[in-house]
């Protein structure tokens, strides 16, 4: 099996110095793998992804991304290195058009690269091409999520992190978002997501982690987590777990 391209070890991070939310979280993600983090509300899942993305106070621990030590590096450096991040909220500029949002996603690219990537994005997501002049604010939840993912893909990330990519979407659109993540993984992209939609997310994942109170609680194959009674009861909608 290939080496992990994202390795976090004992990450301590938060918003206020000396008052961390993540108390030493560790994860690995390999190329082509989909890894899902689940856990109760307030467990620190979003904070952890933001710590890896260079968006919150990084107190200690290490993060290696694509062979480089990126511990505590700012987000623009991580984007240039090949890390994409789709945050839980505010993932689309609602006052800007679809086109402008995509251009923002590609702001680190040269003019020539930007042109090529925009063309590729519109080919890949015809819906965005059709509505390129519509502002983010008038899009449906599914369209907005598609735009958020497409924007993160503008820089061709080798590692992509998504915070609740299917929140608020209809089951059909959830399926579409997950299908696009599978497609990315098949191209060798390492996918790390946080999901409340735990059962559906684990079904398309290779492995999963349970986070609680800012700490690792469990790490297992997605298949094992899906049939674990404790996980089922807490996160997968009751005692009758997936089958
Ligand atoms: N911007 C912020 N400033 C200060 N504290 C914050 C901030 N954002 C989150 N927190 C605190 O960090 C803790 C963990 O929040 P976080 O959003 O990481 O949890 P989560 O596991 O993603 O929860 P959810 O499942 O509800 O999205 C919470 O106690 C929250 O109040
Ligand atoms: Mg969250």
């Amino acid at each position: 099996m290939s080496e992990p391209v994202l390795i976090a070890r004992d990450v301590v991070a938060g918003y206020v110095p000396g008052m961390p939310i993540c108390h030493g979280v560790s994860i690995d993600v390999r190329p082509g793998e989909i890894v899902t983090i689940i856990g109760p509300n307030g467990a620190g899942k979003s904070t952890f992804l933001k710590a890896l993305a260079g968006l919150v106070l990084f107190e200690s621990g290490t993060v290696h991304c694509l062979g480089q030590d990126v511990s505590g590096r700012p987000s623009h450096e991580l984007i240039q290195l090949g890390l994409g991040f789709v945050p839980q909220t505010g993932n689309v500029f609602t006052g800007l058009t679809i086109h402008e949002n995509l251009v923002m996603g590609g702001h680190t690219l040269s003019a020539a690269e930007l042109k090529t990537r925009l063309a590729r994005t519109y080919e890949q997501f015809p819906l965005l091409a059709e509505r390129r002049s519509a502002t983010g604010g008038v899009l449906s939840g599914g369209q907005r999520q598609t735009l958020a993912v497409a924007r993160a893909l503008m820089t061709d990330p080798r590692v992509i992190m998504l915070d609740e990519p299917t929140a608020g979407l209809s089951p059909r659109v959830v399926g579409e978002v997950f299908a696009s993540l599978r497609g990315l993984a098949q191209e060798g992209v390492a996918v790390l997501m946080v999901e409340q939609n735990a059962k559906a997310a684990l079904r398309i994942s290779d492995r999963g982690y349970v986070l609680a109170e800012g700490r690792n609680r469990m790490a297992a194959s997605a298949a094992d987590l899906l049939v674990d009674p404790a996980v089922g009861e807490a996160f997968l909608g009751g005692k009758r777990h997936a089958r």
Side-chain angles (χ1 to χ4, degrees), residues 6 10 36 47 57 64 67 113 121 164 198 215 231:
L6 184 64
D10 304 317
T36 293
T47 304
L57 185 66
H64 284 83
E113 280 172 332
T121 303
E164 300 202 19
R215 293 183 166 85
V231 172

Side-chain angles (χ1 to χ4, degrees), residues 93-137:
F93 295 99
T94 51
L96 300 183
T97 64
I98 285 181
H99 189 78
E100 288 162 347
N101 267 282
L102 292 172
V103 170
M104 292 281 292
H107 75 275
T108 56
L109 302 172
S110 70
E113 280 172 332
L114 180 62
K115 202 173 160 209
T116 313
R117 302 279 169 78
L118 279 169
R120 186 194 60 184
T121 303
Y122 285 137
E123 199 176 312
Q124 198 178 354
F125 301 97
L127 173 129
L128 299 181
E130 274 164 36
R131 305 206 64 195
R132 70 180 76 189
S133 306
T135 51

Side-chain angles (χ1 to χ4, degrees), residues 40-47 50 88 163-164 194 196:
N41 293 122
K45 305 180 299 296
S46 296
T47 304
K50 285 189 268 181
Q88 181 171 359
D163 195 350
E164 300 202 19
V194 164
Q196 294 287 350

